[in-house]
Amino acid sequence: MEMRPPRLKRELYRVTDRRWSAALILVFLSSFIVPLQSAGQGSSQLTSEIRIIVVETQTEAAQILKRLQAGEDFATLAREKSIDPSASNGGSLGRLDPTSLRTELRDAVRGAEKGQLAGPVKISTGFAILKVEDSGVAAVSTPPVPTAAAQSGATVATTGQGMTPTGLLALAGRGKVPYPPDVSGAVEVEVAFRTLPKPPDWDRNLRSVCEVRKQTLARAVDHLSQLLDPNDPDSFAATKPDQIGRVQFSLAQLLAYQGEMEPAIQHWLEAYKLAKASSPQMAPELEEVLGTAYLHKAEMENEVYRKPADRCIFPPRKPVRAQKVEDLEKAILYLTRFLEKKPDTLEVKWLLNLAYMYMGKYPAGVPSKYLIAPSVFASKEDVGRFTDVAPAAGLNSFSMAGGVIVDDFENNGLLDIVTSSYDQCESLHYFHNNGDGTFTDRAVQAGLSDQLGGLNLIQTDYNNDGCIDIFVLRGGWQAPMRDSLLRNNCV
């Protein structure tokens, strides 16, 4: 069998030596800090400038509302009392379309005039009080570009130390699910990728797409590192020390995306120190981030992802004991610190129980107030137990999320397997069924080695010749990118 992709002109992207301007860096750092704004290109909308204070109890919210009604400054109280990530910026959410807010917040500010207070409103993170600074202003949303404000050193709706891309999701109109902090770096990578200029037709050549993404990530890491250089007179360390926490966090995200967990954690630790010193309301979020990061690092060191066996089945059938436990101990430390402040946060309880499981101390070693008992997972039905036999069968690839097809590509009555990856530098895999319970990756022989990326795959016989063809979908929410229709030549 041979699948031949269409011929493409190869045009490798070459990075210039031109340094990113401070304005472009500000756009990079700020473009994911106001996720409540609509992302449509050229769409007209009515926007409002809104501030918010979030506190843990309704009683405290009522007290703050009285103080605001008595004339106290909203921004000052936000900095002092709010537990929302916007606190260090005086509770400012920037200018946004109110319809992008959660339903309860949207209803609270509907029809509000300039200077009007709204709330308290119950949300997933506590009780919110809002203030409409102005309302009903027409705006056109566009992709991030350097603006006059950015060029003059100003930022729009910037937030405090350690702000993350998911920091405002508790307020966003995306249902009732509370969002934990993102520690994957995927959002920052996409922001950098969209912000950096790209050569013409970069998205038509799959090798060019791979090169652009690799070089974009390298440049982003390089320039964020420059912003932290105290010897550079143009760095944020010298000119904007109040923004250092944001740079530390963003740099950690980019490093984590590449799997470089040790340096990533060091930057998160720096952001954590800054948060405790100047924005203590952000400290719990950084504790959750650090706990998650140390757990992830421990899983990598103990090869949980590459050789999972029973270690990814919960509750474990038999005690699991990691060989390297130092980072698990640190994960437990930070996750416990977080739960001491927010003991009902289920996702952190779950991560803490996992950490103890990898330590070989679940359930007996888990503090009783944080334990998710084995009885919670008990079932009246016996669904059996599954064993991972993929590595022994030759299905031992390790990649990011992607598509999969199980079908008879060779018309011999045996099911072959094709997989793709979100990683735009990884080729498709074609696992030929050997007929004895094993598979062999024959992507090169099948002509698929130049087919890179593709989150989704669809099998179809588009030309009705009796041989299954493949349609590879790319781009999606990332950026426009060409798809591939691969013809099975029935060989």
Side-chain angles (χ1 to χ4, degrees):
M1 181 186 72
E2 183 180 7
M3 295 180 179
R4 295 176 180 170
R7 292 184 177 180
L8 296 173
K9 176 183 177 182
R10 296 192 176 278
E11 179 180 335
L12 294 181
Y13 175 59
R14 292 178 173 81
V15 179
T16 66
D17 292 328
R18 181 177 60 84
R19 178 174 175 171
W20 270 357
S21 67
L24 192 55
I25 288 290
L26 286 173
V27 171
F28 168 61
L29 288 173
S30 300
S31 58
F32 51 77
I33 289 178
V34 196
L36 301 181
Q37 294 186 359
S38 170
Q41 294 189 19
S43 59
S44 179
Q45 60 188 23
L46 292 179
T47 64
S48 299
E49 186 176 350
I50 296 175
R51 292 184 185 269
I52 192 168
I53 295 174
V54 180
V55 292
E56 292 183 348
T57 69
Q58 189 171 11
T59 299
E60 187 177 5
Q63 294 171 347
I64 289 177
L65 181 60
K66 288 183 179 179
R67 294 174 63 178
L68 291 170
Q69 292 170 337
E72 291 196 44
D73 181 64
F74 194 102
T76 300
L77 281 176
R79 293 187 181 94
E80 293 176 356
K81 301 293 185 180
S82 182
I83 61 173
D84 188 76
S86 63
S88 59
N89 199 46
S92 175
L93 301 180
R95 184 171 298 283
L96 54 86
D97 178 3
T99 62
S100 65
L101 291 168
R102 294 175 66 96
T103 303
E104 54 269 46
L105 296 176
R106 186 188 318 159
D107 292 342
V109 299
R110 181 178 289 120
E113 300 296 333
K114 180 178 179 180
Q116 186 172 337
L117 299 170
V121 178
K122 178 70 174 74
I123 60 175
S124 61
T125 53
F127 292 84
I129 300 169
L130 301 99
K131 181 181 180 182
V132 179
E133 296 287 1
D134 63 25
S135 61
V137 178
V140 176
S141 62
T142 58
V145 293
T147 63
Q151 291 167 356
S152 66
T155 55
V156 180
T158 56
T159 59
Q161 306 285 5
M163 180 61 187
T164 71
T166 55
L168 295 177
L169 287 178
L171 313 180
R174 302 188 183 183
K176 301 294 185 180
V177 178
Y179 288 81
D182 171 38
V183 294
S184 70
V187 174
E188 284 82 356
V189 169
E190 293 306 323
V191 168
F193 183 58
R194 294 178 186 182
T195 303
L196 186 69
K198 292 173 277 293
D201 296 330
W202 67 272
D203 56 345
R204 307 300 296 176
N205 185 303
L206 299 180
R207 291 291 175 187
S208 293
V209 173
C210 169
E211 289 300 315
V212 168
R213 292 194 70 87
K214 288 192 297 186
Q215 294 165 0
T216 295
L217 185 54
R219 291 187 74 191
V221 169
D222 178 60
H223 288 294
L224 288 181
S225 299
Q226 289 180 21
L227 292 183
L228 296 175
D229 183 1
N231 297 318
D232 185 341
D234 296 325
S235 72
F236 277 20
T239 63
K240 295 180 175 62
D242 61 315
Q243 301 296 325
I244 291 299
R246 295 171 59 210
V247 180
Q248 294 279 12
F249 197 101
S250 295
L251 182 53
Q253 294 282 82
L254 296 179
L255 293 169
Y257 184 85
Q258 301 176 82
E260 299 179 20
M261 295 308 298
E262 182 61 39
I265 286 173
Q266 294 307 310
H267 288 290
W268 274 318
L269 285 169
E270 290 300 318
Y272 181 50
K273 293 176 184 176
L274 291 168
K276 289 198 297 183
S278 60
S279 302
Q281 73 280 354
M282 290 298 303
E285 180 179 353
L286 270 297
E287 287 163 355
E288 181 176 358
V289 166
L290 285 165
T292 305
Y294 274 117
L295 178 58
H296 180 45
K297 183 170 181 284
E299 289 174 325
M300 292 171 64
E301 290 174 339
N302 288 283
E303 296 191 290
V304 170
Y305 305 128
R306 295 183 180 272
K307 300 177 182 178
D310 283 349
R311 293 182 293 179
C312 287
I313 300 178
F314 193 92
R317 179 164 42 186
K318 56 184 178 180
V320 174
R321 174 69 180 179
Q323 296 297 314
K324 301 176 181 179
V325 300
E326 180 180 356
D327 288 317
L328 288 172
E329 293 171 343
K330 293 178 181 178
I332 289 172
L333 170 66
Y334 284 103
L335 294 172
T336 302
R337 283 185 185 177
F338 177 93
L339 288 170
E340 288 170 353
K341 303 176 184 69
K342 300 184 178 183
D344 297 324
T345 307
L346 188 57
E347 78 267 7
V348 179
K349 278 188 179 180
W350 168 249
L351 294 177
L352 183 68
N353 279 257
L354 282 182
Y356 275 106
M357 185 189 81
Y358 291 137
M359 290 278 288
K361 297 182 179 181
Y362 175 87
V366 184
S368 57
K369 58 184 176 180
Y370 304 137
L371 174 65
I372 302 177
S375 59
V376 173
F377 305 95
S379 173
K380 295 179 181 180
E381 303 295 332
D382 182 5
V383 297
R385 195 81 176 189
F386 291 88
T387 301
D388 185 5
V389 298
L395 301 170
N396 55 354
S397 66
F398 178 81
S399 65
M400 302 174 74
V404 61
I405 298 172
V406 180
D407 214 323
D408 183 2
F409 285 97
E410 301 177 29
N411 288 338
N412 59 4
L414 300 175
L415 297 178
D416 309 296
I417 300 174
V418 177
T419 65
S420 65
S421 174
Y422 175 87
D423 182 352
Q424 289 158 345
C425 292
E426 182 175 348
S427 68
L428 298 188
H429 294 275
Y430 174 72
F431 294 101
H432 162 78
N433 191 327
N434 297 322
D436 60 359
T438 66
F439 296 80
T440 301
D441 192 350
R442 293 185 177 174
V444 174
Q445 295 90 325
L448 298 176
S449 58
D450 283 331
Q451 289 296 320
L452 308 181
L455 184 58
N456 294 306
L457 299 174
I458 299 174
Q459 71 266 51
T460 179
D461 182 6
Y462 80 92
N463 57 353
N464 295 318
D465 64 354
C467 297
I468 299 297
D469 311 301
I470 300 175
F471 185 50
V472 186
L473 295 97
R474 300 185 179 88
W477 64 89
Q478 297 170 295
M481 199 177 309
R482 77 166 181 84
D483 301 326
S484 294
L485 177 59
L486 306 176
R487 186 183 68 193
N488 185 341
N489 294 322
C490 301
V491 178

